Structures are given as C-alpha cells and as structure tokens.
Amino acid sequence: MTEWGWVAFAYGVAYGSFFLYAGSIALRINRARQSIERSE
Amino acid sequence: MKVQTRIRWWPWAAVALSLVVAFTLSMISPRDDVQGELVRIMYIHVPAAWLAYVAFFMTFVGSLTYLLTKNLRWDRIAAASAEIGVFFTGLTLVLGMIWGKSTWGVWWTWDARLTLTAIMFFVYLGYLALRRTTDDPVARASRASVLGVLGAVQIPIVHFSVVWWRTLHQPPSIVRPDSPAIQEPLMLITLIVGVVAFTIIYISLMIKRIELTHLEDQLTEIEHSTDQPVAGEAVVVPELGARP
Amino acid sequence: MTTGFWHQVRAVVHRDLLRERRRGDVLWVTIPFGALALLLVPLAIGTDASLLREIGAGMYWVIVMLFGVLVAVGKASRETLPQQDASSLLGLDPAAGFVGRTVSSAILLLAFESIVGVVAVGLYNIEILAPIWLAVTILVVAVGLALLGTLTASIVNSTTAGTALVPLLVAPLSVPLLLGATQSYDGLRYGHAIVSWVSMMVAVVIVVAMIGVLTARPLQES
C-alpha cells in the first residue's frame, strides 16, 4: 500500500468509527426521549 | 416526570467544526523527512491517546467524588467519561497498529506505552460491563465508583511495572519507533490544533453522553414506578384448552 | 456480636474454610483445572524439554493469575444476599468481613499455588532457585490476588454476571503481580536483584488493601 493509502486507511477508520459512535449516542438519546414521551 | 424538552444541538456543531479544522490542517501540513506522508497519522493518533487519558482521569474524579458526596451527577460523569475513554483507547490502539504496520512493518510491538494502553482498555471495558449488570442507579453507582477508583489507582503501578519490564528487555532495533522530529512549525501547530479539537470533541460528547445517561435513568425510574405486569409481555399465561 | 475486629476476622475465616471443607470447590475443581491447563500447554506448543523448561515458570504464573481468580469467586469466600443481611444484622464490621474473606481466599490460593506448583515443576522440569525468595513471591502473589479477587467479587456480588465478570476485572489489574512474579524468577536465574520487584508487589497489596477496607462499608450499604 502507498503512504497515502495508509493515511487514508487510518483517517477512514478514525472518522468512520467516530461518526458511528456519535450517531449511536444521538440515536440512543432519541429513542430514550421517545420512550419517556410515550410513557407520559 | 417531566421530560427534558430542550435539545442541545451546539455540541454536534462543535464536533463537526473541530473535525473539519483538524482534518484540513492535517492534510496541508508538510510531509516528514523520515516518515513521509505517514506522519499525518500522528495528528489523530496522539490526540486520541491524549483524550483516552483525560477521559479515564475524569472517570477517577467522578468516581471518587461520588464516593465522597453520594451525588449521582458525579456517577453519570464517571460513566460517560469511561465510555468515551474506551472508545478513544480502542481508536488509539487501532491507529497505533496501522501506524506501526505502515512504518515498521509490524502490527504490534511490545512497547511499554502500547502495552499499558491495551491494559487500560480492558480495565475500563470491565468497568462498562459491570455497569450493565444492574439497573438500580444507586447500587450501580457505588459498585462502579469503587472500581473506578481501584482502576485509576492501579494504573500508575501497572505503568511502572510495564515500563520497568520493557527497560529490562529492549525490543529489537528494527521495530524501535523513530519518533518523527517535528522540524516545521506547521507540524507542531497541526498537532496542537488536533489536541485542542479532540478536547472540544470530548467535552461535546460528554455533554451528549451525560444527557443520555440522565434520560436512561429517568426511563428506568418510570418503568419501575408505573403499574406493569410483573413478567411483562415475555410471559403469556397458557390458555387451557386453547387450540395450537 | 460486638466483639473485637480480629475476633470477627477469625470467625469469617473459620466460616469460609469450613464451607470449603464441606464443598471442596477449590480442592476438587479449581486445582485439578489448573493442573490440567499445565498439561494442555505442551500438547499445543510441543514437548521440547528445553523449551518447556524455559517457559515453565512463566506458564505457571499465568495459570496462577487466570485460574487463581476463580478461588476468590468460588462459593467458599462469597456471600449470598441473605448471608450478607445476616452478617450485617449481627453487627459484623464490613471491613472485618473483607479482611476475613481475603485471608481465607489467600489461604486457599496458597494451597492452589503449592499443588499446581508441584505439578508445574514436575511437568516442565522447572529449576527451583532461592527457595526463600520463591516462598516470599508465592505468599505476596497469594495475598495480592486474594485482595483483588475479594474486592472485585464484592463489587460484582449479587449481580447475575458475577462469575464471568470477576476474572475480566481482575486480570488486567493483576499485571504488576504477574510481571513481579515472573521477573523475580528471571532475576534469580540471571543473578539480578529482585527486591524492587517484590516491593512493587507489596505496594499493590498495600494499595488494594487500603481501598478494600475503606470502601467495605459503602459497598455493603449498596
């Protein structure tokens, strides 16, 4: 793999997992909020 | 129970802005004489490692303060920080492995810092696993905070033992990391901006993660307070004489 | 039962050892399992005598760390919820309970280390150097592992995932003990000073003992 290939791989892993994690937090917040609203 | 209606969006905006700035600088900063383009991995690897340590330190502070004050707010801080810490420790390990493979040709070296980071990852993975075992916020907080303190107090000893072990057994010289010499001011600036950006990301994620813990606690409270069938919907009373 | 601290500790140790004598969990399950693990390693990596002699001591300590934890999780030194309630109603000092359970775990661990140690020496032909230092190492590791195991077992106590969770929590925290034990053996072999490794393990013992005693009450109240 070329140097730029490795850099792209590293940034892909970092930013990809980052968006997944942030997304999971946002999703879980939404779900919890909806459950609370439903139970009221 | 009043649901928290205000939705905070600015943490997400701060995260996005920090990522864009850090990414742009990492790409325009010059290539390194020794490492070539691979030096750019450093601009995410080092800040991620820095954040992992900050996050675990906050878990320690939150756990200790909870034990002293019994205020659940501190337990939420500890829990949120531990999860973010585990995420960034995992990221640090993966990025370190990618950097290692591309620079020295091996995925893993028994370098003291790398070994310590891996051990920390498992300590706090255990912390998160412990939190999943009970729903009762108070019992969970007491147990988790003792572990949070134990883990943090043990880490300096683990660090010391691992460093000492490594100084006795020097790794073969081919896999000795040549740390990139930071010759250009732009490289230093990029690294500093990276650390600042990741710190902003940490704070923003903490705010959202604490909000989530708060909501989950509310939800557990509602589930326990309302009248519900004891076994929920999982158990259906068999109907005698019913056709299959 | 408002007797002195050490009297209470003795009572707890007595109870735990009595329970182990009746159930025999450590003697009939954990120790054979550890010995079996030592038997399996050469089957997997090869039976070259000099290789086994080289890795023997290290394998022994790994087995002690991974399987020894099971002693602290074992029923003998773990209290069920009704037992906990009974103890606290009788006025048992939670710190005395912690120290007592640690002492009984340490005694059982010493038995584990000794028997599995004999098996390891036999199977791997391990050279025994400086028996006094070896005894000190075995004792310190037993106490340190007992402390870590008892503290974590009381943290996860009464949770369903307890038995699986304790080894995961203890293993990374026992790294200083593992390195201390293996490095002092290497030190003896190559003639280095090992006092510093032993003192590091003693430091672990002191730190964990302090945390255990200080947090015994809040843990019980939860």
Side-chain angles (χ1 to χ4, degrees), chain C residues 88-178:
Chain C
S88 57
L89 282 175
L90 284 168
L92 176 74
D93 183 349
F98 171 75
V99 175
R101 290 199 304 279
T102 304
V103 172
S104 58
S105 281
I107 293 173
L108 294 176
L109 265 166
L110 274 176
F112 177 87
E113 285 178 314
S114 319
I115 299 178
V116 173
V118 171
V119 174
V121 169
L123 286 180
Y124 296 79
N125 196 17
I126 301 171
E127 198 180 353
I128 294 182
L129 308 147
I132 294 176
W133 277 114
L134 190 65
V136 171
T137 317
I138 285 180
L139 181 70
V140 178
V141 169
V143 176
L145 208 53
L147 280 164
L148 278 171
T150 309
L151 180 53
T152 12
S154 55
I155 291 175
V156 299
N157 206 351
S158 78
T159 63
T160 43
T163 358
L165 193 50
V166 172
L168 173 66
L169 297 182
V170 172
L173 293 176
S174 61
V175 165
L177 294 177
L178 178 70

Coordinates of all heavy atoms in Angstrom, one line a residue, chain C residues 88-178:
Chain C
S88 N -24.7 -8.4 58.5 CA -24.8 -7.0 58.9 C -25.8 -6.9 60.1 O -25.6 -6.0 61.0 CB -25.2 -6.1 57.8 OG -26.4 -6.5 57.2
L89 N -26.8 -7.7 60.2 CA -27.7 -7.6 61.3 C -27.0 -8.1 62.6 O -27.3 -7.6 63.7 CB -28.9 -8.6 61.1 CG -30.0 -8.0 60.2 CD1 -31.1 -9.0 59.9 CD2 -30.6 -6.7 60.8
L90 N -26.0 -9.0 62.5 CA -25.3 -9.5 63.6 C -24.2 -8.5 64.1 O -23.5 -8.6 65.0 CB -24.6 -10.8 63.3 CG -25.5 -12.0 63.3 CD1 -24.8 -13.2 62.7 CD2 -26.0 -12.3 64.8
G91 N -24.1 -7.4 63.3 CA -23.1 -6.4 63.6 C -21.7 -6.6 63.2 O -20.8 -6.1 63.7
L92 N -21.6 -7.4 62.1 CA -20.3 -7.7 61.6 C -19.7 -6.4 60.9 O -20.4 -5.9 60.0 CB -20.3 -8.9 60.6 CG -19.0 -9.2 59.9 CD1 -18.0 -9.9 60.8 CD2 -19.2 -10.1 58.7
D93 N -18.6 -6.0 61.3 CA -17.9 -4.9 60.7 C -17.6 -5.2 59.2 O -16.9 -6.2 58.9 CB -16.6 -4.6 61.4 CG -15.9 -3.3 60.9 OD1 -16.3 -2.9 59.8 OD2 -14.9 -2.9 61.5
P94 N -18.1 -4.4 58.2 CA -17.8 -4.8 56.8 C -16.4 -4.9 56.5 O -15.9 -5.8 55.7 CB -18.5 -3.6 56.0 CG -19.4 -3.0 56.9 CD -18.9 -3.2 58.3
A95 N -15.5 -4.1 57.1 CA -14.1 -4.2 56.9 C -13.6 -5.5 57.4 O -12.7 -6.1 56.8 CB -13.4 -3.0 57.6
A96 N -14.1 -5.9 58.6 CA -13.6 -7.2 59.1 C -14.0 -8.4 58.2 O -13.3 -9.3 57.9 CB -14.2 -7.5 60.5
G97 N -15.3 -8.2 57.6 CA -15.7 -9.2 56.6 C -14.8 -9.3 55.4 O -14.4 -10.3 55.0
F98 N -14.4 -8.1 54.9 CA -13.5 -8.0 53.8 C -12.1 -8.7 54.1 O -11.6 -9.5 53.3 CB -13.3 -6.5 53.4 CG -12.2 -6.4 52.3 CD1 -12.5 -6.7 51.0 CD2 -11.0 -5.9 52.7 CE1 -11.5 -6.6 50.1 CE2 -10.0 -5.7 51.7 CZ -10.2 -6.1 50.4
V99 N -11.6 -8.3 55.3 CA -10.3 -8.8 55.6 C -10.4 -10.4 55.8 O -9.5 -11.1 55.3 CB -9.7 -8.2 56.9 CG1 -8.4 -8.8 57.4 CG2 -9.5 -6.7 56.7
G100 N -11.5 -10.8 56.5 CA -11.6 -12.2 56.7 C -11.7 -13.0 55.4 O -11.1 -14.0 55.2
R101 N -12.6 -12.5 54.4 CA -12.7 -13.2 53.2 C -11.4 -13.2 52.4 O -11.1 -14.2 51.7 CB -13.8 -12.5 52.3 CG -15.2 -12.8 52.9 CD -16.3 -12.5 51.9 NE -16.2 -11.2 51.3 CZ -16.7 -10.1 51.8 NH1 -17.3 -10.2 53.0 NH2 -16.7 -8.9 51.2
T102 N -10.6 -12.1 52.5 CA -9.3 -12.0 51.9 C -8.4 -13.1 52.4 O -7.7 -13.8 51.7 CB -8.7 -10.6 52.0 OG1 -9.6 -9.6 51.5 CG2 -7.4 -10.5 51.3
V103 N -8.4 -13.2 53.8 CA -7.4 -14.1 54.4 C -7.8 -15.5 54.0 O -6.9 -16.3 53.6 CB -7.5 -14.0 55.9 CG1 -6.7 -15.1 56.6 CG2 -6.9 -12.6 56.3
S104 N -9.1 -15.9 54.0 CA -9.5 -17.2 53.6 C -9.1 -17.5 52.1 O -8.6 -18.6 51.8 CB -10.9 -17.5 53.9 OG -11.8 -16.6 53.2
S105 N -9.4 -16.5 51.3 CA -9.0 -16.7 49.9 C -7.5 -16.9 49.7 O -7.0 -17.7 48.9 CB -9.4 -15.4 49.1 OG -10.8 -15.4 48.8
A106 N -6.7 -16.1 50.5 CA -5.3 -16.2 50.4 C -4.8 -17.6 50.8 O -3.9 -18.2 50.2 CB -4.6 -15.1 51.3
I107 N -5.4 -18.1 51.9 CA -5.1 -19.5 52.3 C -5.4 -20.5 51.2 O -4.5 -21.3 50.9 CB -5.8 -19.8 53.6 CG1 -5.3 -18.9 54.8 CG2 -5.6 -21.3 54.0 CD1 -6.1 -19.1 56.1
L108 N -6.6 -20.4 50.6 CA -6.9 -21.3 49.5 C -6.0 -21.1 48.3 O -5.6 -22.1 47.7 CB -8.4 -21.1 49.1 CG -9.4 -21.5 50.2 CD1 -10.8 -21.1 49.8 CD2 -9.3 -22.9 50.6
L109 N -5.6 -19.8 48.1 CA -4.7 -19.6 46.9 C -3.4 -20.2 47.2 O -2.7 -20.7 46.3 CB -4.6 -18.1 46.7 CG -5.5 -17.5 45.7 CD1 -5.6 -16.0 45.8 CD2 -5.1 -17.9 44.3
L110 N -2.9 -20.1 48.4 CA -1.6 -20.7 48.8 C -1.6 -22.2 48.5 O -0.7 -22.8 47.9 CB -1.3 -20.5 50.2 CG -0.5 -19.2 50.5 CD1 -0.3 -19.0 52.0 CD2 0.8 -19.1 49.8
A111 N -2.8 -22.9 48.8 CA -2.9 -24.3 48.6 C -2.9 -24.5 47.1 O -2.2 -25.4 46.6 CB -4.2 -24.8 49.2
F112 N -3.6 -23.7 46.3 CA -3.6 -23.8 44.8 C -2.2 -23.6 44.3 O -1.8 -24.5 43.5 CB -4.6 -22.7 44.3 CG -4.6 -22.6 42.8 CD1 -5.6 -23.4 42.1 CD2 -3.8 -21.8 42.1 CE1 -5.6 -23.4 40.7 CE2 -3.9 -21.7 40.7 CZ -4.8 -22.5 40.0
E113 N -1.5 -22.6 44.7 CA -0.2 -22.3 44.2 C 0.8 -23.5 44.5 O 1.6 -23.9 43.6 CB 0.4 -21.0 44.8 CG -0.2 -19.8 44.2 CD 0.3 -18.5 44.9 OE1 0.4 -18.5 46.1 OE2 0.7 -17.6 44.2
S114 N 0.7 -24.0 45.7 CA 1.6 -25.1 46.1 C 1.4 -26.3 45.3 O 2.3 -26.9 44.7 CB 1.5 -25.4 47.6 OG 1.3 -24.3 48.3
I115 N 0.1 -26.8 45.2 CA -0.2 -28.0 44.5 C 0.1 -27.9 43.0 O 0.8 -28.7 42.4 CB -1.6 -28.5 44.7 CG1 -1.8 -28.7 46.2 CG2 -1.9 -29.8 44.0 CD1 -3.2 -29.2 46.6
V116 N -0.4 -26.8 42.4 CA -0.2 -26.6 41.0 C 1.3 -26.4 40.7 O 1.9 -26.8 39.7 CB -1.0 -25.4 40.5 CG1 -0.7 -25.0 39.0 CG2 -2.5 -25.7 40.5
G117 N 2.0 -25.7 41.7 CA 3.4 -25.5 41.6 C 4.2 -26.8 41.5 O 5.1 -27.0 40.6
V118 N 3.8 -27.8 42.3 CA 4.5 -29.1 42.3 C 4.3 -29.7 40.9 O 5.2 -30.3 40.3 CB 3.9 -30.0 43.4 CG1 4.4 -31.4 43.2 CG2 4.4 -29.5 44.7
V119 N 3.0 -29.6 40.4 CA 2.7 -30.2 39.1 C 3.6 -29.5 38.0 O 4.1 -30.2 37.1 CB 1.2 -30.0 38.7 CG1 0.9 -30.5 37.3 CG2 0.3 -30.8 39.7
A120 N 3.7 -28.2 38.1 CA 4.5 -27.4 37.1 C 5.9 -27.9 37.1 O 6.6 -28.1 36.1 CB 4.3 -25.9 37.3
V121 N 6.5 -28.0 38.3 CA 7.9 -28.3 38.5 C 8.1 -29.7 37.8 O 9.1 -30.0 37.1 CB 8.3 -28.3 39.9 CG1 9.7 -29.0 40.1 CG2 8.4 -26.9 40.4
G122 N 7.1 -30.6 38.1 CA 7.2 -32.0 37.5 C 7.1 -32.0 36.0 O 8.0 -32.6 35.4
L123 N 6.1 -31.3 35.5 CA 5.8 -31.4 34.1 C 6.9 -30.7 33.2 O 7.2 -31.1 32.1 CB 4.4 -30.9 33.7 CG 3.2 -31.7 34.1 CD1 2.0 -31.0 33.7 CD2 3.3 -33.1 33.4
Y124 N 7.3 -29.5 33.7 CA 8.2 -28.7 32.9 C 9.6 -28.7 33.3 O 10.5 -28.0 32.8 CB 7.7 -27.2 33.0 CG 6.3 -27.0 32.4 CD1 5.2 -27.3 33.1 CD2 6.2 -26.4 31.1 CE1 3.9 -27.1 32.6 CE2 4.9 -26.2 30.6 CZ 3.8 -26.6 31.3 OH 2.6 -26.4 30.8
N125 N 9.9 -29.5 34.4 CA 11.3 -29.6 34.9 C 11.8 -28.2 35.3 O 12.9 -27.9 34.9 CB 12.1 -30.3 33.9 CG 13.4 -30.8 34.5 OD1 13.5 -30.9 35.7 ND2 14.4 -31.1 33.6
I126 N 11.0 -27.4 36.0 CA 11.5 -26.1 36.3 C 12.5 -26.1 37.4 O 12.4 -26.9 38.4 CB 10.3 -25.2 36.8 CG1 9.2 -25.2 35.8 CG2 10.7 -23.8 37.2 CD1 7.9 -24.6 36.3
E127 N 13.5 -25.3 37.3 CA 14.6 -25.2 38.2 C 14.2 -24.4 39.4 O 13.6 -23.3 39.2 CB 15.8 -24.5 37.6 CG 17.1 -24.7 38.2 CD 18.2 -23.9 37.4 OE1 17.9 -23.4 36.3 OE2 19.3 -23.9 37.9
I128 N 14.3 -24.9 40.7 CA 13.9 -24.1 41.8 C 15.1 -23.4 42.4 O 16.1 -24.0 42.7 CB 13.3 -25.0 42.9 CG1 12.0 -25.6 42.4 CG2 13.0 -24.2 44.2 CD1 11.3 -26.5 43.4
L129 N 15.0 -22.0 42.3 CA 16.2 -21.2 42.8 C 15.7 -20.4 44.0 O 14.6 -20.0 44.1 CB 16.5 -20.2 41.7 CG 16.8 -20.8 40.3 CD1 16.3 -19.8 39.3 CD2 18.2 -21.1 40.2
A130 N 16.7 -20.2 45.0 CA 16.4 -19.4 46.1 C 15.1 -19.7 46.8 O 14.2 -18.9 46.6 CB 16.6 -18.0 45.8
P131 N 14.9 -20.9 47.4 CA 13.5 -21.2 47.9 C 12.9 -20.2 48.8 O 11.7 -20.0 48.8 CB 13.8 -22.5 48.7 CG 15.1 -23.0 48.2 CD 15.9 -21.9 47.7
I132 N 13.7 -19.4 49.6 CA 13.1 -18.5 50.5 C 12.4 -17.3 49.7 O 11.3 -17.0 49.9 CB 14.2 -17.9 51.4 CG1 14.7 -19.0 52.3 CG2 13.6 -16.8 52.2 CD1 15.8 -18.7 53.3
W133 N 13.1 -16.8 48.6 CA 12.6 -15.8 47.8 C 11.3 -16.3 47.1 O 10.3 -15.6 46.9 CB 13.6 -15.2 46.8 CG 14.4 -14.2 47.4 CD1 15.8 -14.3 47.6 CD2 14.0 -12.9 47.9 NE1 16.2 -13.1 48.3 CE2 15.2 -12.3 48.4 CE3 12.8 -12.2 48.0 CZ2 15.1 -11.0 49.0 CZ3 12.7 -11.0 48.5 CH2 13.9 -10.4 49.0
L134 N 11.4 -17.5 46.7 CA 10.3 -18.1 45.9 C 9.1 -18.2 46.9 O 8.0 -17.8 46.5 CB 10.7 -19.6 45.5 CG 9.7 -20.2 44.5 CD1 9.6 -19.5 43.2 CD2 10.1 -21.7 44.3
A135 N 9.3 -18.6 48.1 CA 8.2 -18.6 49.1 C 7.6 -17.3 49.3 O 6.4 -17.1 49.4 CB 8.7 -19.2 50.4
V136 N 8.5 -16.2 49.4 CA 8.0 -14.9 49.6 C 7.2 -14.5 48.4 O 6.1 -13.9 48.6 CB 9.2 -13.9 49.8 CG1 8.7 -12.5 49.8 CG2 9.9 -14.2 51.1
T137 N 7.6 -14.7 47.2 CA 6.9 -14.4 46.0 C 5.5 -15.0 46.0 O 4.5 -14.4 45.7 CB 7.7 -14.8 44.7 OG1 9.0 -14.5 44.9 CG2 7.1 -14.1 43.5
I138 N 5.5 -16.3 46.3 CA 4.3 -17.1 46.3 C 3.3 -16.5 47.3 O 2.1 -16.3 47.0 CB 4.5 -18.6 46.6 CG1 5.1 -19.2 45.3 CG2 3.3 -19.3 47.0 CD1 5.4 -20.7 45.4
L139 N 3.8 -16.1 48.5 CA 3.0 -15.6 49.5 C 2.4 -14.2 49.1 O 1.2 -14.0 49.2 CB 3.8 -15.4 50.8 CG 3.0 -14.9 52.0 CD1 2.0 -15.9 52.5 CD2 3.9 -14.5 53.1
V140 N 3.3 -13.3 48.6 CA 2.8 -12.0 48.2 C 1.8 -12.1 47.1 O 0.8 -11.4 47.1 CB 4.0 -11.1 47.8 CG1 3.5 -9.7 47.3 CG2 5.0 -11.0 48.9
V141 N 2.0 -13.0 46.1 CA 1.1 -13.1 45.0 C -0.3 -13.6 45.5 O -1.3 -13.1 45.1 CB 1.6 -14.1 43.9 CG1 0.5 -14.4 42.9 CG2 2.8 -13.4 43.2
A142 N -0.2 -14.6 46.5 CA -1.4 -15.1 47.0 C -2.2 -14.0 47.7 O -3.4 -13.8 47.5 CB -1.1 -16.2 48.0
V143 N -1.6 -13.2 48.5 CA -2.3 -12.1 49.2 C -2.8 -11.1 48.2 O -3.9 -10.6 48.3 CB -1.3 -11.5 50.3 CG1 -2.0 -10.3 50.9 CG2 -0.9 -12.5 51.3
G144 N -1.9 -10.7 47.3 CA -2.3 -9.7 46.3 C -3.5 -10.1 45.5 O -4.5 -9.4 45.3
L145 N -3.5 -11.3 45.0 CA -4.5 -11.8 44.2 C -5.8 -12.0 45.0 O -6.9 -11.7 44.5 CB -4.1 -13.2 43.6 CG -4.7 -13.6 42.2 CD1 -4.5 -12.5 41.2 CD2 -4.0 -14.8 41.7
A146 N -5.6 -12.5 46.2 CA -6.8 -12.6 47.1 C -7.5 -11.3 47.4 O -8.7 -11.2 47.3 CB -6.4 -13.2 48.4
L147 N -6.7 -10.2 47.6 CA -7.2 -8.9 47.8 C -8.0 -8.4 46.6 O -9.1 -8.0 46.7 CB -6.1 -7.9 48.1 CG -5.6 -7.9 49.5 CD1 -4.2 -7.2 49.5 CD2 -6.5 -7.2 50.4
L148 N -7.3 -8.5 45.4 CA -8.0 -8.1 44.1 C -9.3 -8.9 43.9 O -10.3 -8.3 43.6 CB -7.1 -8.2 43.0 CG -6.0 -7.1 42.7 CD1 -5.0 -7.5 41.7 CD2 -6.7 -5.8 42.3
G149 N -9.2 -10.2 44.1 CA -10.3 -11.1 43.8 C -11.5 -10.8 44.8 O -12.6 -10.7 44.4
T150 N -11.1 -10.6 46.1 CA -12.2 -10.4 47.1 C -12.9 -9.1 46.8 O -14.1 -8.9 46.9 CB -11.6 -10.4 48.5 OG1 -10.9 -11.6 48.6 CG2 -12.7 -10.4 49.5
L151 N -12.0 -8.0 46.6 CA -12.6 -6.7 46.3 C -13.5 -6.7 45.1 O -14.7 -6.2 45.2 CB -11.5 -5.7 46.2 CG -11.9 -4.2 45.9 CD1 -12.9 -3.8 47.0 CD2 -10.7 -3.3 45.9
T152 N -13.0 -7.2 44.0 CA -13.9 -7.3 42.8 C -15.1 -8.2 43.0 O -16.2 -7.8 42.6 CB -13.1 -7.7 41.6 OG1 -11.9 -8.3 42.0 CG2 -12.9 -6.6 40.6
A153 N -14.9 -9.3 43.7 CA -16.1 -10.2 44.0 C -17.1 -9.4 44.8 O -18.3 -9.6 44.5 CB -15.7 -11.4 44.7
S154 N -16.7 -8.6 45.7 CA -17.7 -7.9 46.5 C -18.3 -6.7 45.7 O -19.4 -6.3 45.9 CB -17.2 -7.4 47.8 OG -16.0 -6.6 47.7
I155 N -17.6 -6.2 44.7 CA -18.1 -5.2 43.8 C -19.2 -5.8 43.0 O -20.3 -5.2 42.8 CB -17.1 -4.6 42.9 CG1 -16.1 -3.7 43.7 CG2 -17.7 -3.7 41.8 CD1 -14.9 -3.2 42.9
V156 N -19.0 -7.0 42.4 CA -20.0 -7.5 41.5 C -21.0 -8.5 42.2 O -21.8 -9.0 41.6 CB -19.4 -8.3 40.3 CG1 -18.5 -7.4 39.5 CG2 -18.6 -9.5 40.8
N157 N -20.8 -8.6 43.5 CA -21.6 -9.5 44.3 C -23.1 -9.4 44.0 O -23.6 -8.3 43.8 CB -21.4 -9.3 45.8 CG -21.6 -10.6 46.5 OD1 -22.2 -11.5 46.0 ND2 -21.3 -10.6 47.8
S158 N -23.8 -10.5 43.9 CA -25.2 -10.5 43.8 C -25.7 -10.0 42.4 O -26.9 -9.9 42.1 CB -26.0 -9.7 44.9 OG -25.9 -8.3 44.6
T159 N -24.7 -9.7 41.5 CA -25.2 -9.4 40.2 C -25.1 -10.8 39.4 O -24.3 -11.6 39.8 CB -24.3 -8.4 39.4 OG1 -23.0 -8.9 39.4 CG2 -24.3 -7.1 40.2
T160 N -25.9 -10.9 38.4 CA -26.0 -12.2 37.7 C -24.7 -12.6 37.0 O -24.4 -13.7 36.9 CB -27.2 -12.2 36.8 OG1 -27.1 -10.9 36.1 CG2 -28.5 -12.3 37.5
A161 N -24.1 -11.5 36.5 CA -22.9 -11.8 35.6 C -21.6 -12.0 36.4 O -20.6 -12.2 35.9 CB -22.7 -10.7 34.6
G162 N -21.8 -12.1 37.8 CA -20.6 -12.1 38.7 C -19.5 -13.0 38.3 O -18.4 -12.6 38.1
T163 N -19.8 -14.3 38.1 CA -18.7 -15.3 38.0 C -17.9 -15.0 36.7 O -16.7 -15.3 36.7 CB -19.3 -16.7 37.9 OG1 -20.7 -16.6 38.1 CG2 -18.7 -17.5 39.0
A164 N -18.6 -14.5 35.7 CA -17.8 -14.3 34.4 C -17.1 -13.0 34.5 O -16.0 -12.8 33.9 CB -18.8 -14.3 33.2
L165 N -17.6 -12.0 35.3 CA -17.1 -10.7 35.2 C -15.8 -10.5 36.1 O -14.9 -9.8 35.7 CB -18.2 -9.7 35.8 CG -18.0 -8.2 35.5 CD1 -17.6 -8.0 34.1 CD2 -19.2 -7.5 35.9
V166 N -15.8 -11.2 37.2 CA -14.6 -11.1 38.1 C -13.3 -11.3 37.4 O -12.4 -10.5 37.5 CB -14.8 -11.9 39.4 CG1 -13.5 -11.8 40.2 CG2 -15.9 -11.4 40.2
P167 N -13.1 -12.4 36.7 CA -11.8 -12.6 36.0 C -11.5 -11.5 35.1 O -10.3 -11.1 35.0 CB -12.0 -14.0 35.3 CG -13.0 -14.7 36.1 CD -14.0 -13.6 36.6
L168 N -12.5 -11.0 34.3 CA -12.2 -9.9 33.4 C -11.7 -8.7 34.1 O -10.9 -7.9 33.7 CB -13.5 -9.6 32.6 CG -13.4 -8.3 31.7 CD1 -12.4 -8.5 30.6 CD2 -14.7 -7.9 31.1
L169 N -12.3 -8.4 35.3 CA -11.9 -7.2 36.1 C -10.5 -7.4 36.7 O -9.7 -6.5 36.8 CB -12.9 -6.9 37.2 CG -14.3 -6.5 36.7 CD1 -15.2 -6.2 37.8 CD2 -14.3 -5.4 35.7
V170 N -10.3 -8.6 37.2 CA -9.0 -8.8 38.0 C -7.8 -8.9 37.1 O -6.8 -8.4 37.4 CB -9.2 -10.1 38.9 CG1 -7.8 -10.4 39.5 CG2 -10.2 -9.8 40.0
A171 N -8.0 -9.6 35.9 CA -6.8 -10.0 35.1 C -6.0 -8.7 34.7 O -4.8 -8.7 35.0 CB -7.2 -10.7 33.9
P172 N -6.6 -7.6 34.2 CA -5.7 -6.5 33.8 C -5.1 -5.8 35.0 O -4.0 -5.3 34.9 CB -6.7 -5.6 33.1 CG -8.0 -6.0 33.4 CD -8.0 -7.4 33.7
L173 N -5.8 -5.8 36.2 CA -5.3 -5.2 37.3 C -4.2 -6.0 38.0 O -3.4 -5.4 38.8 CB -6.4 -4.9 38.4 CG -7.5 -3.9 37.9 CD1 -8.6 -3.8 38.9 CD2 -6.8 -2.5 37.6
S174 N -4.1 -7.3 37.7 CA -3.1 -8.1 38.3 C -1.8 -8.1 37.5 O -0.9 -8.9 37.8 CB -3.6 -9.5 38.6 OG -3.9 -10.1 37.4
V175 N -1.7 -7.3 36.4 CA -0.5 -7.3 35.6 C 0.8 -7.0 36.5 O 1.8 -7.7 36.3 CB -0.6 -6.2 34.5 CG1 0.7 -5.9 33.9 CG2 -1.5 -6.8 33.4
P176 N 0.8 -6.1 37.4 CA 2.0 -5.9 38.2 C 2.4 -7.1 39.0 O 3.6 -7.4 39.2 CB 1.6 -4.8 39.2 CG 0.5 -4.0 38.6 CD -0.2 -5.1 37.8
L177 N 1.4 -7.9 39.5 CA 1.7 -9.2 40.2 C 2.4 -10.2 39.2 O 3.4 -10.8 39.6 CB 0.5 -9.8 40.8 CG -0.2 -9.0 41.9 CD1 -1.5 -9.7 42.3 CD2 0.7 -8.8 43.1
L178 N 1.8 -10.3 38.0 CA 2.3 -11.2 37.0 C 3.8 -10.9 36.7 O 4.7 -11.7 36.7 CB 1.5 -11.2 35.8 CG 1.9 -12.1 34.7 CD1 1.7 -13.6 35.0 CD2 1.2 -11.9 33.4

